[in-house]
Amino acid sequence: MKKFIIGYLAFCTNHGQARCQSKMASKNDSSQVSSCLNHSDQAKDSRAGLSQEPIRPSPPNQRHDEGFRTEATDSRQKPGDKAQPGGTWGEAKLKKEPECHMQLDKLCPNRNHTVLIDTNKFLHDRIVPYRGQHVWDSKHVKLPPHYPGNSKESRWAATQRALHGLMRHRGVSVGDVEGAIKTYNQAHNKDWNFDALRMYAHESKHETDFSKVIFKMANLALRLPELIQHPIPLLRQNCNLAITLSQEQISCLLANAFFCTFPHRNASHHGSEYSNFPTINFSRLFAENSPRTFQKLRALFHYFNTVTEDGTKPNGLVTFERICISSSEYPEWNKRTENLTNLCVYDNGFIEKEGKGMLQVDFAADLIGGGVLGRGLVQEEIRFLQCPELIVARLFTERLSDNECLKITGVQTYSNTLGYSDSFVWHSPHTDNTKRDEWKRRYCQIVAIDATNFKDSKLQFTETSIKRELLKAYVGFRNDPNIPIEYTPAIATGNWGCGAFKGDPMLKALIQMMAAAVAQRDLAYFTFNNKKQAEELQRMHELLKIHKMTVGKLYNLLQDYCEFSHHHKVKNVFKYISEKINSSNL
């Protein structure tokens, strides 16, 4: 196969450094309160458009050394398997972090970035909770210790008493856990069952001391008032907001999710308070008695066992950032003059492994995490089980709109897994040696973008559908405009939306190539053991590059294809475009 190798521009140059001398994030004043407590104004001040004070790095003086609908789009190899020689097409060198990392400014909060640790103490390498004034309103997470009292014993007092009961003896059973959870969730005494948890406790005796781990988890959950001393804003639609937490704070929140302590989060029906948010309490997972759930619980118990041991608990930070662009920033696709960027196609290997150091795409559901706490077990859910810190995003992230994505920076991988869907198994512990940036976040950045679920696959071949997918990919791929392109890693992606969502792999590949071109980022594309697709994709990319195809021209060709497919016997989009190019002077 003829290879068309596109020259790779050197990065980290003096020219790139000069370009980045733009306005950085505003500095914190003497009080962290003044810059992050005024949450009541956040929603209206950050509506529609980019945040006024986005998280930005400092100038590059040096590089740092250090029932959800989900989709099945890849298959799984053994842990440690890598793309084999000959399984990669396209020889462009793709940028990765930390090699292309631009040094960050000091960590500090602003109106669009809530930091739940004390940033002044962080400068002295201490991670301690930041103290603020808790609130109970529709703009923030309603935390269990602050549930308004309306009875003789507060809900949190009942929760404390129940969880302390799980710490009084070593022989704690699933029945004890069930009884404790139902103590403060009495409305669900009859409709919640714990069959899956009971099966797990029985079947996993050889690998987990169930009673010991429950003891440690209960102790961790009870530390919530100590570890979370500042209100957590909800990442609402049409708002550019970010939250940075410590990994210990995340583990505490997830321990509370396990014990189902979060109030107002058990009802998800239309019209309920959190109907537009994912579930966070683990009650549904405990009831789903199946091989899938058993494997999920293996991964989750390994995580909790790791984070509750002094020798293995993590000590870094993680940032969750909701990004929204306004209609004035939508690209006019038919007028874009950018040429396609570099493409490297892998017919095996994985986004999270071979794509390490790149911006890694989560083939997300619009409710983040999809069915990770239910029956779902495909690309997104598997990633959330390998990196359970991702699950905490369900606590505060509202359903994603078409012009939004969620970007997560710094999560740790705890587990190796095998298989996919019904063949999925938890395999073994994973030791994550990924380096950390100046904010003590691992060099792991994931972007959650949700594809359209096409119940009728023909519906994707319309201008409206193509523009929607282009916009969603673009908002996910788009980088902070204040960061020079030389410091922007490539994107690791694949057959986004091409499983149960019925997306056409060829069309989705072209859409992602176009969005990446406008975002000025290279692509690593994983076809998950489909060698034929890999070869066809690389040939198409080479053809488009040889003919200097712009995004605008390619967009118009796609519109022509949509019109053609409505009136003629449909040929695949690659073949149609190839014939058009070869028969004209495009």
Side-chain angles (χ1 to χ4, degrees), residues 247 299 302-303 306-307 312 314 385-389 411-416 426 428-432:
Q247 290 180 282
H302 168 65
Y303 165 75
T306 302
V307 299
T312 55
L385 293 168
Q386 293 169 340
C387 311
E389 288 159 350
V411 293
Q412 181 169 326
T413 300
Y414 293 84
S415 292
N416 297 313
W426 181 85
S428 58
H430 179 87
T431 301
D432 194 336

Side-chain angles (χ1 to χ4, degrees), residues 22-280:
S22 57
K23 185 178 77 172
M24 295 295 117
S26 59
K27 296 290 191 297
N28 191 19
D29 60 16
S30 60
S31 170
Q32 185 163 357
V33 180
S34 65
S35 57
C36 69
L37 271 187
N38 190 14
H39 297 300
S40 61
D41 292 333
Q42 282 185 345
K44 66 178 181 181
D45 288 344
S46 58
R47 292 271 173 192
L50 292 176
S51 57
Q52 298 173 2
E53 298 173 339
I55 301 174
R56 295 183 184 129
S58 57
N61 297 322
Q62 64 183 37
R63 285 181 302 189
H64 198 267
D65 291 329
E66 295 269 270
F68 289 95
R69 299 188 303 271
T70 55
E71 50 166 332
T73 51
D74 69 355
S75 57
R76 295 277 139 177
Q77 296 167 273
K78 294 179 181 179
D81 281 2
K82 296 182 178 180
Q84 299 301 313
T88 308
W89 286 265
E91 296 181 357
K93 181 180 178 182
L94 303 183
K95 288 178 287 183
K96 299 181 179 181
E97 288 191 310
E99 291 79 11
C100 71
H101 177 67
M102 190 168 79
Q103 183 176 346
L104 299 172
D105 198 356
K106 73 173 185 178
L107 176 63
C108 61
N110 58 52
R111 293 178 67 84
N112 300 103
H113 184 193
T114 296
V115 183
L116 294 181
I117 65 161
D118 190 310
T119 55
N120 292 320
K121 291 183 172 61
F122 183 73
L123 292 174
H124 302 285
D125 204 28
R126 294 180 58 203
I127 298 179
V128 298
Y130 177 66
R131 294 185 179 182
Q133 183 65 46
H134 280 290
V135 293
W136 185 273
D137 62 21
S138 62
K139 298 178 182 178
H140 299 85
V141 173
K142 292 181 174 176
L143 294 170
H146 307 286
Y147 192 89
N150 56 6
S151 62
K152 193 170 185 179
E153 181 182 44
S154 73
R155 188 177 190 275
W156 180 244
T159 302
Q160 289 178 302
R161 178 167 50 81
L163 295 183
H164 276 301
L166 299 178
M167 300 169 60
R168 289 185 184 135
H169 59 89
R170 289 292 185 180
V172 171
S173 67
V174 174
D176 295 325
V177 174
E178 178 179 359
I181 291 174
K182 288 183 176 179
T183 297
Y184 44 88
N185 289 288
Q186 294 183 5
H188 299 280
N189 275 342
K190 294 181 179 179
D191 59 333
W192 281 4
N193 77 72
F194 290 71
D195 291 348
L197 189 61
R198 191 166 284 106
M199 178 186 72
Y200 168 78
H202 180 264
E203 298 293 333
S204 65
K205 291 178 180 178
H206 63 287
E207 68 182 23
T208 303
D209 186 337
F210 179 83
S211 180
K212 179 181 178 181
V213 179
I214 290 294
F215 176 94
K216 295 188 298 179
M217 289 170 62
N219 183 58
L220 177 60
L222 287 167
R223 294 181 62 203
L224 186 61
E226 167 198 345
L227 292 174
I228 305 294
Q229 299 188 28
H230 184 281
I232 305 174
L234 295 172
L235 300 185
R236 290 281 192 179
Q237 291 178 345
N238 300 314
C239 292
N240 286 279
L241 292 174
I243 305 170
T244 294
L245 311 90
S246 73
Q247 290 180 282
E248 185 177 30
Q249 288 173 323
I250 291 172
S251 68
C252 177
L253 291 167
L254 290 178
N256 276 274
F258 179 93
F259 291 114
C260 306
T261 72
F262 290 106
H264 296 205
R265 299 303 292 265
N266 296 324
S268 58
H269 60 272
H270 181 72
S272 60
E273 183 178 359
Y274 288 94
S275 62
N276 217 29
F277 284 77
T279 57
I280 184 62

